[in-house]
Amino acid sequence: AQSVAQPEDQVNVAEGNPLTVKCTYSVSGNPYLFWYVQYPNRGLQFLLKYITGDNLVKGSYGFEAEFNKSQTSFHLKKPSALVSDSALYFCAVRDLRNDYKLSFGAGTTVTVRA
Amino acid sequence: SAVISQKPSRDICQRGTSLTIQCQVDSQVTMMFWYRQQPGQSLTLIATANQGSEATYESGFVIDKFPISRPNLTFSTLTVSNMSPEDSSIYLCSADRDTANTEAFFGQGTRLTVV
């Protein structure tokens, strides 16, 4: 079985401060990990992915994520948050033994205050 | 990347009626999926829309309630049948390549309210 966990329902930060959204995973085999963002009344937008290679992955809108195999984590980070980063963030993992289906975390609501 | 157009973007429907949601992809894709996102919740996979064969449904979802069509490699529909207020949700379609190392793309979603 595969799963991802996002331990925080909400993250609140001040604009200009670092932003971290946590994700841990549990998979059989090598993990294929993804981060998506959902703005109000919108679909999901792809931010970044880890497949193999460097543990630090850079993505859209200044976001990056660090893959840590020993801690089975894939935390999303942004050095300096913007008010426009306020949205719902989902971590997801592919199950390579189940037709590559995506399994999503519960989501984390990020609020960046001015 | 693929662009997915999903419609309607929202609808308010009477209980007992049905609604068909359409999803058009701007390029051919192997895999298409339909998800449900209940208010404040994560995405739950309803089914995989297979081209040329019947859809594959996840546990808890059945074809009679959520019939799906996939007539070609760029289009799919999901029908929510005999609706009840419990079906009020956001429904999302997704397109995927046939390789695990690529990201999936999503339509903008259909916000359904059943009254």
Side-chain angles (χ1 to χ4, degrees):
Chain A
Q2 61 164 32
S3 70
V4 290
Q6 294 180 242
E8 300 163 316
D9 292 337
Q10 293 192 349
V11 170
N12 300 305
V13 298
E15 188 172 36
N17 282 1
L19 169 63
T20 299
V21 187
K22 296 179 180 177
C23 173
T24 59
Y25 65 90
S26 173
V27 299
S28 300
N30 294 324
Y32 285 18
L33 296 158
F34 302 82
W35 274 103
Y36 287 85
V37 60
Q38 185 178 33
Y39 298 100
N41 301 313
R42 303 288 297 276
L44 271 67
Q45 296 180 31
F46 168 73
L47 281 178
L48 50 79
K49 63 184 177 184
Y50 173 82
I51 304 300
T52 186
D54 290 340
N55 290 341
L56 185 63
V57 179
K58 294 188 182 297
S60 305
Y61 311 121
F63 283 94
E64 58 189 28
E66 185 171 10
F67 172 70
N68 188 316
K69 187 173 183 177
S70 63
Q71 297 185 1
T72 63
S73 66
F74 189 56
H75 301 332
L76 181 70
K77 299 180 181 181
K78 187 170 184 179
S80 179
L82 302 172
V83 172
S84 57
D85 293 327
S86 298
L88 181 57
Y89 290 79
F90 290 102
C91 183
V93 63
R94 279 201 189 277
D95 185 354
L96 302 186
R97 302 183 185 188
N98 189 18
D99 295 331
Y100 305 132
K101 292 175 186 175
L102 280 170
S103 179
F104 287 87
T108 300
T109 299
V110 170
T111 302
V112 182
R113 61 185 184 277
Chain B
S1 64
V3 175
I4 303 176
S5 299
Q6 184 175 341
K7 60 181 182 182
S9 59
R10 60 177 63 229
D11 207 342
I12 301 173
C13 300
Q14 296 291 324
R15 66 176 65 201
T17 63
S18 298
L19 175 71
T20 295
I21 302 168
Q22 299 181 3
C23 192
Q24 178 75 52
V25 190
D26 68 346
S27 59
Q28 293 186 344
V29 292
T30 306
M31 311 288 283
M32 292 186 74
F33 302 90
W34 288 96
Y35 292 85
R36 183 173 70 185
Q37 184 181 19
Q38 295 181 307
Q41 302 294 315
S42 185
L43 280 72
T44 300
L45 181 63
I46 297 172
T48 303
N50 303 309
Q51 196 271 330
S53 64
E54 284 195 358
T56 306
Y57 289 83
E58 299 298 307
S59 176
F61 298 95
V62 295
I63 187 171
D64 290 346
K65 177 67 176 177
F66 297 102
I68 286 171
S69 77
R70 179 86 195 273
N72 56 53
L73 291 174
T74 64
F75 187 78
S76 179
T77 68
L78 169 76
T79 298
V80 186
S81 303
N82 188 24
M83 288 183 286
S84 66
E86 291 71 33
D87 294 320
S88 298
S89 230
I90 296 173
Y91 293 86
L92 293 146
C93 71
S94 170
D96 213 339
R97 311 294 181 188
D98 58 0
T99 54
N101 62 354
T102 58
E103 58 274 18
F105 296 92
F106 289 81
Q108 64 267 45
T110 296
R111 182 178 293 272
L112 171 62
T113 303
V114 184
V115 297

